[in-house]
Amino acid sequence: MDGFDNKIHQEQHNAGGIADPSLSKANDANLAASSKGSSVLASDLEQSLNQTLSTDEKAAAPAATIGVDDHDHAPKVGPFETHVDLNNVANAKTLNAKQVGKQGSFEGSFGDKGDFLNPGGGNNTVIAGGGNDVIRGAGKGLNTITTGTGKDTIILGKETTNRIFDFDPTNDRFVLQGVNPKDIIIAQGKNPGKGGLEQPLDSVNNALIIDKREGHILASLTFAKASDINESHFSRLTGEANESLKNEALKADGFKNQRGDGKLTGTLGHDRLIGGKGDDFLYVGDDGFKFGTAKGGGGTEFPFKTDSPGTSELTPTLKNGVLSFTGSYKDFDGAPLFSQGEKELDPNAKILSGADPKALTDGFLKVPVDKEGNAISGTHLHFSTAGDNRGNFADATVVRYFENTPTDAKSGTLSGTFELSPEEQAAFLGGNLYVNIHSNIDVDGDGRAGFATGENRLNFNKDVVQFA
């Protein structure tokens, strides 16, 4: 087969979400009984599937739990709660197991450059590429994943949480490893908390795939809608599928095999990357993507429209984990915030959100440097997407500060060089970061001051980030 044809799969199943009756308190007893039975079945499934894993994948996985009802995965990993109360999610629906088929051999599904990536145990980051990739997220840890483009498959295993930055309902899908489809709930998060890259897994912006036996979040799909996910996105793993992912099988198709701890970097061809039991970074490589130039202006930027004539542009590069930007702004009504050494807003500056002016500036001034020590400025890198097919979002949490260098009263240059963590690289390559240029003082005295809530926004979304 040539990848996953979502349209055909949907026509075969004609699947729609089914409301989950077990979410009501009246069905608590039934839920407990059905969960116990399906837990035993899931354990049998997992044991059987583990017997078909390759030797190197078994070595990368933690030891299996002893009891079928044991749940030894930590409820919190770093800042992330990996479990959710089913009463605290929205639009919950359960899978109709009869409409979930079996995943056979993956042979022939990788196209001309797809990869197989298994980070193993630990808290890992996976950045895939532009091919049809298979990512095994079943090592009982926390994985941060950017799938890239292509028709990608994420294998979900019990007691493992996968934070997926760029899930595409049109092309991507899930395969369940050792998890009964009857135990899967699809829901929308309800948590209003933000926090940049540390936003809650059950954020209102995220679709959730939940194992209802323990309320464990198997997958958190950032900036996605639960209503876009249904039975057509799921299948069950088989021993035949596992056999097709072994080195012996993939080597015949030209896959280059790597196994180890730490960072594993792929090639432009087929790769089979297997991490260890610790924290790993499986990476497509610096030649696996390219960037366009992000442009701002026109007064239409989300979330606040302006009447500014100002425009801006930024071009990024990402090499060896270092993200650099060069660009400029011109014809702004006000100079970039804090570029004139000020600590208060110009009385004529516009605040489109209705925020209190003093609270706005005081909030910025409470963070005089970013995490790398870059001094405060009015040009910020933030976590959220806008301007592509996922919709528009805004999170005011500052990721980094840029440097503004005015060249005259209305124009200047923008620059920034930042050393990103693997998770931050995944967010950027997932199209999930944007730059907001806050402006303030009327330098030339023409009566038009800046926009303290942002005069231009530049989105580094899926239209700007392009995988090879």
Side-chain angles (χ1 to χ4, degrees), residues 445-468:
D446 66 356
R448 288 182 63 88
F451 293 80
T453 43
E455 188 157 349
N456 271 191
R457 170 171 171 158
L458 303 97
N459 297 309
F460 291 92
N461 56 28
K462 288 185 176 182
D463 296 332
V464 175
V465 179
Q466 302 162 15
F467 284 86

Side-chain angles (χ1 to χ4, degrees), residues 26 46 60 86 91 93 132 156 177 231 236 245 248 262 274-275 307 315 364 417 431 436 452-453 467:
E46 183 181 39
L86 297 181
N91 305 323
K93 56 188 178 184
N132 301 333
L156 302 179
Q177 174 180 320
E231 284 84 351
R236 291 173 289 172
L245 296 174
E248 295 81 1
I274 309 298
D307 61 354
T315 302
F364 286 134
T417 299
N436 197 10
T453 43
F467 284 86

Side-chain angles (χ1 to χ4, degrees), residues 329 331-342 344-350 404-412 438-451 455:
Y329 66 94
D331 299 326
F332 269 40
D333 281 342
L337 184 63
F338 304 127
S339 67
Q340 307 300 305
E342 78 276 18
E344 296 181 351
L345 292 186
D346 187 306
N348 294 322
K350 306 167 189 69
N404 307 300
T405 305
T407 54
D408 60 37
K410 294 181 176 293
S411 305
H438 303 263
S439 56
N440 186 22
I441 290 179
D442 174 12
V443 176
D444 62 357
D446 66 356
R448 288 182 63 88
F451 293 80
E455 188 157 349

Side-chain angles (χ1 to χ4, degrees), residues 333-448:
D333 281 342
L337 184 63
F338 304 127
S339 67
Q340 307 300 305
E342 78 276 18
K343 294 187 177 181
E344 296 181 351
L345 292 186
D346 187 306
N348 294 322
K350 306 167 189 69
I351 303 179
L352 302 180
S353 64
D356 173 59
K358 187 176 188 309
L360 182 68
T361 53
D362 286 351
F364 286 134
L365 291 169
K366 287 179 181 178
V367 189
V369 296
D370 65 21
K371 65 185 295 184
E372 286 192 62
N374 298 301
I376 188 172
S377 79
T379 303
H380 309 148
L381 187 65
H382 297 280
F383 175 72
S384 282
T385 185
D388 61 20
N389 61 2
R390 293 173 290 178
N392 296 321
F393 304 87
D395 185 332
T397 305
V398 173
V399 178
R400 295 292 194 282
Y401 289 137
F402 280 71
E403 183 176 350
N404 307 300
T405 305
T407 54
D408 60 37
K410 294 181 176 293
S411 305
T413 62
L414 304 169
S415 61
T417 299
F418 313 119
E419 187 170 344
L420 302 187
S421 68
E423 293 85 357
E424 290 172 332
Q425 293 176 58
F428 187 72
L429 292 174
N432 292 344
L433 297 183
Y434 72 94
V435 173
N436 197 10
I437 307 175
H438 303 263
S439 56
N440 186 22
I441 290 179
D442 174 12
V443 176
D444 62 357
D446 66 356
R448 288 182 63 88

Side-chain angles (χ1 to χ4, degrees), residues 188-189 191 194 199 203-207 221-225 393:
Q188 195 73 32
N191 194 326
K194 295 186 183 294
Q199 75 168 10
S203 164
V204 67
N205 297 328
N206 300 345
L221 317 180
T222 61
F223 310 120
K225 297 177 181 178
F393 304 87

Side-chain angles (χ1 to χ4, degrees), residues 49 52 102-107 236-246 249:
L49 288 169
T52 64
K102 295 181 180 180
Q103 172 64 52
S105 172
F106 284 103
E107 182 180 2
R236 291 173 289 172
L237 191 68
T238 63
E240 180 186 11
N242 268 342
E243 290 287 343
S244 69
L245 296 174
K246 291 183 177 180

Side-chain angles (χ1 to χ4, degrees), residues 48-93:
S48 176
L49 288 169
N50 283 344
Q51 293 174 355
T52 64
L53 286 173
S54 61
T55 301
D56 56 359
E57 287 199 87
K58 287 180 181 178
T65 53
I66 297 174
V68 296
D69 291 322
D70 288 350
H71 190 77
D72 65 349
H73 181 56
K76 189 168 185 177
V77 179
F80 300 109
E81 297 284 351
T82 60
H83 296 68
V84 64
D85 187 330
L86 297 181
N87 292 310
N88 293 332
V89 297
N91 305 323
K93 56 188 178 184

